[in-house]
Amino acid sequence: MARLLVGLPSLKGDIQKYKDRFDLVELRPLDTSLPRATTLRKWRKAVPPGFVFSVVLPRVVGELAGGRELDEALSASLEVAAVLEARCVLLQTPASLRPTASNRKKLAALFERLPAEGVVRCWEPSGIWERDDIVATARAAKVIPVLDVARDAPPPGPIVYTRLRALGRSSSMGAAALERVAERLRGRREVFLVVEGDRAPQIKSLLAAALARTPDRSTASAVVRPTMPMPSTLVAEDEEQ
Protein backbone atom coordinates (compact mmCIF):
# COMPACT_ATOMS: atom_id res chain seq x y z
CA MET A 1 0.00 0.00 0.00
CA ALA A 2 1.22 3.50 -0.86
CA ARG A 3 2.45 5.74 1.92
CA LEU A 4 -0.16 8.49 1.65
CA LEU A 5 0.81 11.96 2.88
CA VAL A 6 -1.98 14.54 2.72
CA GLY A 7 -1.84 18.25 3.46
CA LEU A 8 -2.80 21.78 2.51
CA PRO A 9 -1.21 24.41 0.24
CA SER A 10 -0.49 26.58 3.30
CA LEU A 11 -0.24 26.22 7.07
CA LYS A 12 -3.61 26.74 8.72
CA GLY A 13 -3.32 27.58 12.42
CA ASP A 14 -0.70 26.31 14.83
CA ILE A 15 1.76 23.66 13.66
CA GLN A 16 1.08 21.60 16.79
CA LYS A 17 -2.61 21.23 15.89
CA TYR A 18 -1.99 20.99 12.16
CA LYS A 19 0.30 17.96 12.51
CA ASP A 20 -2.46 16.03 14.28
CA ARG A 21 -4.67 16.30 11.19
CA PHE A 22 -2.25 16.25 8.26
CA ASP A 23 1.08 14.77 7.15
CA LEU A 24 2.31 17.47 4.78
CA VAL A 25 2.27 21.24 4.28
CA GLU A 26 3.41 23.50 1.47
CA LEU A 27 5.32 26.63 2.46
CA ARG A 28 6.20 29.55 0.18
CA PRO A 29 9.31 31.53 1.12
CA LEU A 30 9.28 35.21 0.05
CA ASP A 31 5.82 34.97 -1.57
CA THR A 32 4.28 34.59 1.90
CA SER A 33 5.51 35.56 5.34
CA LEU A 34 7.48 32.86 7.14
CA PRO A 35 9.08 33.08 10.59
CA ARG A 36 12.81 33.22 11.17
CA ALA A 37 15.09 30.21 11.09
CA THR A 38 14.88 29.70 14.87
CA THR A 39 11.10 29.25 14.67
CA LEU A 40 11.38 27.05 11.60
CA ARG A 41 13.71 24.76 13.54
CA LYS A 42 11.08 24.59 16.30
CA TRP A 43 8.51 23.61 13.67
CA ARG A 44 10.74 20.77 12.51
CA LYS A 45 11.16 19.50 16.07
CA ALA A 46 7.43 19.83 16.79
CA VAL A 47 6.36 17.41 14.05
CA PRO A 48 7.02 13.67 13.66
CA PRO A 49 10.06 12.59 11.60
CA GLY A 50 7.79 11.46 8.79
CA PHE A 51 5.96 14.79 8.49
CA VAL A 52 6.72 16.44 5.15
CA PHE A 53 7.53 20.09 4.55
CA SER A 54 7.28 20.98 0.87
CA VAL A 55 8.97 24.24 -0.12
CA VAL A 56 7.36 25.98 -3.11
CA LEU A 57 9.88 28.21 -4.85
CA PRO A 58 8.97 31.92 -5.24
CA ARG A 59 7.19 33.25 -8.31
CA VAL A 60 10.32 35.06 -9.49
CA VAL A 61 12.07 31.71 -9.71
CA GLY A 62 9.18 30.14 -11.61
CA GLU A 63 9.35 32.88 -14.23
CA LEU A 64 12.89 31.69 -15.11
CA ALA A 65 13.95 35.19 -16.11
CA GLY A 66 17.41 34.75 -14.65
CA GLY A 67 19.48 37.44 -12.99
CA ARG A 68 20.27 38.48 -9.46
CA GLU A 69 16.68 38.51 -8.19
CA LEU A 70 16.16 34.88 -9.18
CA ASP A 71 19.50 33.86 -7.68
CA GLU A 72 18.77 35.51 -4.34
CA ALA A 73 15.24 34.12 -4.15
CA LEU A 74 16.44 30.63 -4.97
CA SER A 75 19.24 30.80 -2.40
CA ALA A 76 16.89 32.04 0.35
CA SER A 77 14.33 29.32 -0.45
CA LEU A 78 16.91 26.54 -0.36
CA GLU A 79 18.09 27.80 3.03
CA VAL A 80 14.51 27.49 4.31
CA ALA A 81 14.32 23.99 2.83
CA ALA A 82 17.54 23.02 4.59
CA VAL A 83 16.39 24.33 7.98
CA LEU A 84 13.07 22.49 7.69
CA GLU A 85 14.72 19.36 6.28
CA ALA A 86 12.17 19.65 3.52
CA ARG A 87 11.36 16.41 1.73
CA CYS A 88 10.06 18.18 -1.39
CA VAL A 89 11.00 21.28 -3.37
CA LEU A 90 8.39 22.39 -5.90
CA LEU A 91 8.76 24.73 -8.87
CA GLN A 92 5.52 26.24 -10.18
CA THR A 93 5.74 27.95 -13.56
CA PRO A 94 3.20 30.52 -14.82
CA ALA A 95 1.01 30.28 -17.90
CA SER A 96 3.35 32.74 -19.64
CA LEU A 97 6.06 30.06 -19.66
CA ARG A 98 5.13 28.23 -22.84
CA PRO A 99 6.30 24.77 -23.99
CA THR A 100 9.22 25.89 -26.16
CA ALA A 101 12.64 24.32 -26.58
CA SER A 102 14.24 27.36 -24.94
CA ASN A 103 12.02 27.10 -21.86
CA ARG A 104 12.68 23.38 -21.55
CA LYS A 105 16.41 24.13 -21.42
CA LYS A 106 15.83 26.79 -18.77
CA LEU A 107 13.82 24.34 -16.69
CA ALA A 108 16.53 21.71 -16.88
CA ALA A 109 19.20 24.27 -15.94
CA LEU A 110 17.19 25.49 -12.96
CA PHE A 111 16.66 21.97 -11.61
CA GLU A 112 20.37 21.30 -11.88
CA ARG A 113 20.79 23.96 -9.17
CA LEU A 114 18.53 22.09 -6.76
CA PRO A 115 19.84 19.32 -4.50
CA ALA A 116 19.40 15.93 -6.14
CA GLU A 117 19.95 13.75 -3.08
CA GLY A 118 17.38 13.36 -0.32
CA VAL A 119 14.91 15.80 -1.92
CA VAL A 120 11.95 15.12 -4.21
CA ARG A 121 12.18 17.76 -6.93
CA CYS A 122 8.81 18.58 -8.49
CA TRP A 123 7.50 20.75 -11.31
CA GLU A 124 3.95 22.08 -11.74
CA PRO A 125 3.27 24.00 -14.96
CA SER A 126 0.29 26.21 -15.80
CA GLY A 127 -1.12 27.17 -19.16
CA ILE A 128 -1.20 25.23 -22.42
CA TRP A 129 1.15 22.39 -21.55
CA GLU A 130 -0.36 19.03 -22.55
CA ARG A 131 -0.11 16.08 -20.19
CA ASP A 132 2.29 14.05 -22.38
CA ASP A 133 4.52 17.09 -22.92
CA ILE A 134 4.62 17.74 -19.17
CA VAL A 135 5.61 14.15 -18.48
CA ALA A 136 8.31 14.12 -21.17
CA THR A 137 9.78 17.46 -20.05
CA ALA A 138 9.81 16.36 -16.41
CA ARG A 139 11.48 13.06 -17.31
CA ALA A 140 14.20 14.88 -19.24
CA ALA A 141 14.84 17.15 -16.24
CA LYS A 142 14.72 14.16 -13.83
CA VAL A 143 11.91 15.62 -11.73
CA ILE A 144 8.39 14.63 -10.70
CA PRO A 145 5.55 16.24 -12.72
CA VAL A 146 2.68 17.56 -10.60
CA LEU A 147 -0.73 16.78 -12.12
CA ASP A 148 -4.30 16.82 -10.84
CA VAL A 149 -4.72 13.07 -10.47
CA ALA A 150 -8.52 13.41 -10.58
CA ARG A 151 -8.11 14.55 -14.18
CA ASP A 152 -4.81 13.11 -15.44
CA ALA A 153 -3.16 9.79 -14.65
CA PRO A 154 0.35 10.28 -13.26
CA PRO A 155 3.23 8.62 -15.11
CA PRO A 156 4.65 5.31 -13.87
CA GLY A 157 7.06 5.50 -10.96
CA PRO A 158 7.32 4.95 -7.21
CA ILE A 159 6.58 8.58 -6.24
CA VAL A 160 3.58 10.79 -7.06
CA TYR A 161 3.13 14.44 -6.12
CA THR A 162 -0.38 15.57 -6.96
CA ARG A 163 -2.81 18.39 -6.31
CA LEU A 164 -6.59 18.08 -6.06
CA ARG A 165 -7.85 21.51 -7.02
CA ALA A 166 -10.65 23.52 -5.45
CA LEU A 167 -12.11 24.20 -8.90
CA GLY A 168 -13.11 21.79 -11.63
CA ARG A 169 -13.48 18.04 -11.38
CA SER A 170 -11.66 17.74 -8.06
CA SER A 171 -13.94 20.14 -6.21
CA SER A 172 -16.90 17.76 -5.90
CA MET A 173 -15.46 14.27 -5.82
CA GLY A 174 -17.88 11.42 -5.21
CA ALA A 175 -17.16 7.82 -4.30
CA ALA A 176 -16.57 6.75 -7.91
CA ALA A 177 -14.12 9.61 -8.53
CA LEU A 178 -12.20 8.82 -5.35
CA GLU A 179 -11.99 5.17 -6.33
CA ARG A 180 -10.57 6.20 -9.70
CA VAL A 181 -7.98 8.36 -7.94
CA ALA A 182 -7.11 5.46 -5.63
CA GLU A 183 -6.66 3.16 -8.62
CA ARG A 184 -4.21 5.63 -10.17
CA LEU A 185 -2.21 5.76 -6.95
CA ARG A 186 -2.14 2.06 -6.09
CA GLY A 187 1.25 0.41 -6.12
CA ARG A 188 3.21 3.62 -5.55
CA ARG A 189 5.72 3.87 -2.73
CA GLU A 190 4.92 7.46 -1.71
CA VAL A 191 2.06 9.78 -2.57
CA PHE A 192 2.29 13.48 -1.69
CA LEU A 193 -1.26 14.81 -1.98
CA VAL A 194 -2.10 18.52 -1.61
CA VAL A 195 -5.82 19.21 -1.30
CA GLU A 196 -7.21 22.67 -2.00
CA GLY A 197 -10.49 23.73 -0.42
CA ASP A 198 -12.07 22.58 2.83
CA ARG A 199 -12.55 18.84 2.13
CA ALA A 200 -9.00 17.76 2.90
CA PRO A 201 -9.74 15.77 6.10
CA GLN A 202 -12.63 13.95 4.45
CA ILE A 203 -10.67 13.19 1.28
CA LYS A 204 -7.72 11.96 3.33
CA SER A 205 -9.90 9.52 5.25
CA LEU A 206 -11.83 8.23 2.23
CA LEU A 207 -8.79 7.89 0.03
CA ALA A 208 -6.79 6.06 2.71
CA ALA A 209 -9.67 3.60 3.07
CA ALA A 210 -9.91 3.14 -0.70
CA LEU A 211 -6.18 2.46 -1.00
CA ALA A 212 -6.37 -0.08 1.81
CA ARG A 213 -9.04 -2.09 0.00
CA THR A 214 -8.02 -4.86 -2.37
CA PRO A 215 -9.40 -4.00 -5.81
CA ASP A 216 -11.97 -6.41 -7.25
CA ARG A 217 -10.31 -8.10 -10.20
CA SER A 218 -12.91 -10.87 -10.60
CA THR A 219 -14.49 -9.38 -13.69
CA ALA A 220 -11.19 -8.60 -15.37
CA SER A 221 -9.77 -12.05 -14.60
CA ALA A 222 -12.76 -14.00 -15.87
CA VAL A 223 -11.98 -15.67 -19.20
CA VAL A 224 -14.69 -16.98 -21.51
CA ARG A 225 -13.31 -19.84 -23.58
CA PRO A 226 -14.96 -20.84 -26.87
CA THR A 227 -16.43 -24.32 -27.15
CA MET A 228 -14.33 -26.47 -29.49
CA PRO A 229 -15.44 -29.75 -31.08
CA MET A 230 -13.87 -32.92 -29.71
CA PRO A 231 -10.84 -34.06 -31.71
CA SER A 232 -12.16 -37.65 -31.87
CA THR A 233 -15.34 -36.48 -33.60
CA LEU A 234 -13.37 -34.70 -36.30
CA VAL A 235 -11.23 -37.74 -36.93
CA ALA A 236 -14.25 -40.02 -37.21
CA GLU A 237 -15.90 -37.77 -39.78
CA ASP A 238 -12.71 -37.72 -41.88
CA GLU A 239 -12.51 -41.51 -41.82
CA GLU A 240 -16.11 -41.88 -42.98
CA GLN A 241 -15.43 -39.60 -45.94
PDB file of all heavy atoms in Angstrom, residues 131 135 147-155 184 188:
ATOM      1  N   ARG A 131      -0.560  17.066 -21.177  1.00  0.00           N
ATOM      2  CA  ARG A 131      -0.111  16.083 -20.190  1.00  0.00           C
ATOM      3  C   ARG A 131       1.141  15.329 -20.660  1.00  0.00           C
ATOM      4  O   ARG A 131       2.111  15.185 -19.918  1.00  0.00           O
ATOM      5  CB  ARG A 131      -1.249  15.113 -19.886  1.00  0.00           C
ATOM      6  CG  ARG A 131      -0.947  14.101 -18.779  1.00  0.00           C
ATOM      7  CD  ARG A 131      -0.795  12.725 -19.332  1.00  0.00           C
ATOM      8  NE  ARG A 131      -0.495  11.741 -18.302  1.00  0.00           N
ATOM      9  CZ  ARG A 131       0.238  10.661 -18.519  1.00  0.00           C
ATOM     10  NH1 ARG A 131       0.741  10.435 -19.710  1.00  0.00           N
ATOM     11  NH2 ARG A 131       0.478   9.803 -17.540  1.00  0.00           N
ATOM     12  N   VAL A 135       4.933  15.363 -18.937  1.00  0.00           N
ATOM     13  CA  VAL A 135       5.614  14.150 -18.481  1.00  0.00           C
ATOM     14  C   VAL A 135       6.981  14.011 -19.149  1.00  0.00           C
ATOM     15  O   VAL A 135       7.981  13.705 -18.484  1.00  0.00           O
ATOM     16  CB  VAL A 135       4.739  12.914 -18.757  1.00  0.00           C
ATOM     17  CG1 VAL A 135       5.514  11.622 -18.490  1.00  0.00           C
ATOM     18  CG2 VAL A 135       3.477  12.960 -17.900  1.00  0.00           C
ATOM     19  N   LEU A 147       0.521  16.757 -11.379  1.00  0.00           N
ATOM     20  CA  LEU A 147      -0.732  16.782 -12.118  1.00  0.00           C
ATOM     21  C   LEU A 147      -1.893  16.692 -11.136  1.00  0.00           C
ATOM     22  O   LEU A 147      -1.716  16.308  -9.980  1.00  0.00           O
ATOM     23  CB  LEU A 147      -0.797  15.597 -13.090  1.00  0.00           C
ATOM     24  CG  LEU A 147       0.353  15.467 -14.091  1.00  0.00           C
ATOM     25  CD1 LEU A 147       0.297  14.121 -14.782  1.00  0.00           C
ATOM     26  CD2 LEU A 147       0.304  16.588 -15.118  1.00  0.00           C
ATOM     27  N   ASP A 148      -3.084  17.049 -11.603  1.00  0.00           N
ATOM     28  CA  ASP A 148      -4.298  16.816 -10.838  1.00  0.00           C
ATOM     29  C   ASP A 148      -4.729  15.398 -11.148  1.00  0.00           C
ATOM     30  O   ASP A 148      -5.243  15.103 -12.221  1.00  0.00           O
ATOM     31  CB  ASP A 148      -5.375  17.828 -11.241  1.00  0.00           C
ATOM     32  CG  ASP A 148      -6.663  17.666 -10.440  1.00  0.00           C
ATOM     33  OD1 ASP A 148      -6.845  16.604  -9.809  1.00  0.00           O
ATOM     34  OD2 ASP A 148      -7.488  18.591 -10.443  1.00  0.00           O
ATOM     35  N   VAL A 149      -4.505  14.478 -10.197  1.00  0.00           N
ATOM     36  CA  VAL A 149      -4.719  13.066 -10.466  1.00  0.00           C
ATOM     37  C   VAL A 149      -6.196  12.731 -10.661  1.00  0.00           C
ATOM     38  O   VAL A 149      -6.526  11.659 -11.164  1.00  0.00           O
ATOM     39  CB  VAL A 149      -4.102  12.221  -9.333  1.00  0.00           C
ATOM     40  CG1 VAL A 149      -4.959  12.236  -8.091  1.00  0.00           C
ATOM     41  CG2 VAL A 149      -3.839  10.796  -9.785  1.00  0.00           C
ATOM     42  N   ALA A 150      -7.102  13.627 -10.293  1.00  0.00           N
ATOM     43  CA  ALA A 150      -8.518  13.413 -10.585  1.00  0.00           C
ATOM     44  C   ALA A 150      -8.804  13.591 -12.072  1.00  0.00           C
ATOM     45  O   ALA A 150      -9.793  13.073 -12.589  1.00  0.00           O
ATOM     46  CB  ALA A 150      -9.377  14.379  -9.779  1.00  0.00           C
ATOM     47  N   ARG A 151      -7.917  14.280 -12.756  1.00  0.00           N
ATOM     48  CA  ARG A 151      -8.106  14.547 -14.179  1.00  0.00           C
ATOM     49  C   ARG A 151      -7.135  13.770 -15.053  1.00  0.00           C
ATOM     50  O   ARG A 151      -7.508  13.232 -16.100  1.00  0.00           O
ATOM     51  CB  ARG A 151      -7.951  16.046 -14.448  1.00  0.00           C
ATOM     52  CG  ARG A 151      -8.279  16.466 -15.867  1.00  0.00           C
ATOM     53  CD  ARG A 151      -8.003  17.940 -16.073  1.00  0.00           C
ATOM     54  NE  ARG A 151      -6.570  18.228 -15.983  1.00  0.00           N
ATOM     55  CZ  ARG A 151      -6.049  19.446 -16.099  1.00  0.00           C
ATOM     56  NH1 ARG A 151      -6.835  20.491 -16.258  1.00  0.00           N
ATOM     57  NH2 ARG A 151      -4.746  19.627 -16.021  1.00  0.00           N
ATOM     58  N   ASP A 152      -5.861  13.722 -14.642  1.00  0.00           N
ATOM     59  CA  ASP A 152      -4.812  13.106 -15.441  1.00  0.00           C
ATOM     60  C   ASP A 152      -4.114  12.009 -14.653  1.00  0.00           C
ATOM     61  O   ASP A 152      -3.747  12.215 -13.487  1.00  0.00           O
ATOM     62  CB  ASP A 152      -3.769  14.147 -15.870  1.00  0.00           C
ATOM     63  CG  ASP A 152      -4.349  15.206 -16.789  1.00  0.00           C
ATOM     64  OD1 ASP A 152      -4.962  14.820 -17.803  1.00  0.00           O
ATOM     65  OD2 ASP A 152      -4.185  16.396 -16.496  1.00  0.00           O
ATOM     66  N   ALA A 153      -3.891  10.877 -15.290  1.00  0.00           N
ATOM     67  CA  ALA A 153      -3.158   9.793 -14.653  1.00  0.00           C
ATOM     68  C   ALA A 153      -1.686  10.172 -14.544  1.00  0.00           C
ATOM     69  O   ALA A 153      -1.090  10.651 -15.517  1.00  0.00           O
ATOM     70  CB  ALA A 153      -3.315   8.510 -15.455  1.00  0.00           C
ATOM     71  N   PRO A 154      -1.077   9.986 -13.385  1.00  0.00           N
ATOM     72  CA  PRO A 154       0.347  10.277 -13.256  1.00  0.00           C
ATOM     73  C   PRO A 154       1.171   9.252 -14.014  1.00  0.00           C
ATOM     74  O   PRO A 154       0.707   8.126 -14.251  1.00  0.00           O
ATOM     75  CB  PRO A 154       0.589  10.179 -11.741  1.00  0.00           C
ATOM     76  CG  PRO A 154      -0.466   9.248 -11.254  1.00  0.00           C
ATOM     77  CD  PRO A 154      -1.662   9.473 -12.130  1.00  0.00           C
ATOM     78  N   PRO A 155       2.394   9.590 -14.399  1.00  0.00           N
ATOM     79  CA  PRO A 155       3.230   8.622 -15.114  1.00  0.00           C
ATOM     80  C   PRO A 155       3.678   7.503 -14.178  1.00  0.00           C
ATOM     81  O   PRO A 155       3.597   7.640 -12.952  1.00  0.00           O
ATOM     82  CB  PRO A 155       4.428   9.476 -15.567  1.00  0.00           C
ATOM     83  CG  PRO A 155       4.510  10.580 -14.558  1.00  0.00           C
ATOM     84  CD  PRO A 155       3.081  10.878 -14.186  1.00  0.00           C
ATOM     85  N   ARG A 184      -5.382   5.012  -9.547  1.00  0.00           N
ATOM     86  CA  ARG A 184      -4.212   5.627 -10.174  1.00  0.00           C
ATOM     87  C   ARG A 184      -3.018   5.722  -9.227  1.00  0.00           C
ATOM     88  O   ARG A 184      -1.886   5.888  -9.674  1.00  0.00           O
ATOM     89  CB  ARG A 184      -4.580   7.027 -10.688  1.00  0.00           C
ATOM     90  CG  ARG A 184      -5.496   6.997 -11.903  1.00  0.00           C
ATOM     91  CD  ARG A 184      -5.982   8.382 -12.295  1.00  0.00           C
ATOM     92  NE  ARG A 184      -6.717   8.342 -13.556  1.00  0.00           N
ATOM     93  CZ  ARG A 184      -7.356   9.376 -14.093  1.00  0.00           C
ATOM     94  NH1 ARG A 184      -7.365  10.542 -13.457  1.00  0.00           N
ATOM     95  NH2 ARG A 184      -7.983   9.248 -15.253  1.00  0.00           N
ATOM     96  N   ARG A 188       2.123   2.645  -5.699  1.00  0.00           N
ATOM     97  CA  ARG A 188       3.207   3.623  -5.547  1.00  0.00           C
ATOM     98  C   ARG A 188       3.820   3.488  -4.152  1.00  0.00           C
ATOM     99  O   ARG A 188       3.183   3.023  -3.210  1.00  0.00           O
ATOM    100  CB  ARG A 188       2.683   5.047  -5.731  1.00  0.00           C
ATOM    101  CG  ARG A 188       1.811   5.257  -6.961  1.00  0.00           C
ATOM    102  CD  ARG A 188       2.526   4.904  -8.257  1.00  0.00           C
ATOM    103  NE  ARG A 188       1.652   5.067  -9.396  1.00  0.00           N
ATOM    104  CZ  ARG A 188       1.893   5.912 -10.405  1.00  0.00           C
ATOM    105  NH1 ARG A 188       2.987   6.645 -10.405  1.00  0.00           N
ATOM    106  NH2 ARG A 188       1.034   5.996 -11.414  1.00  0.00           N
TER     107      ARG A 188
END
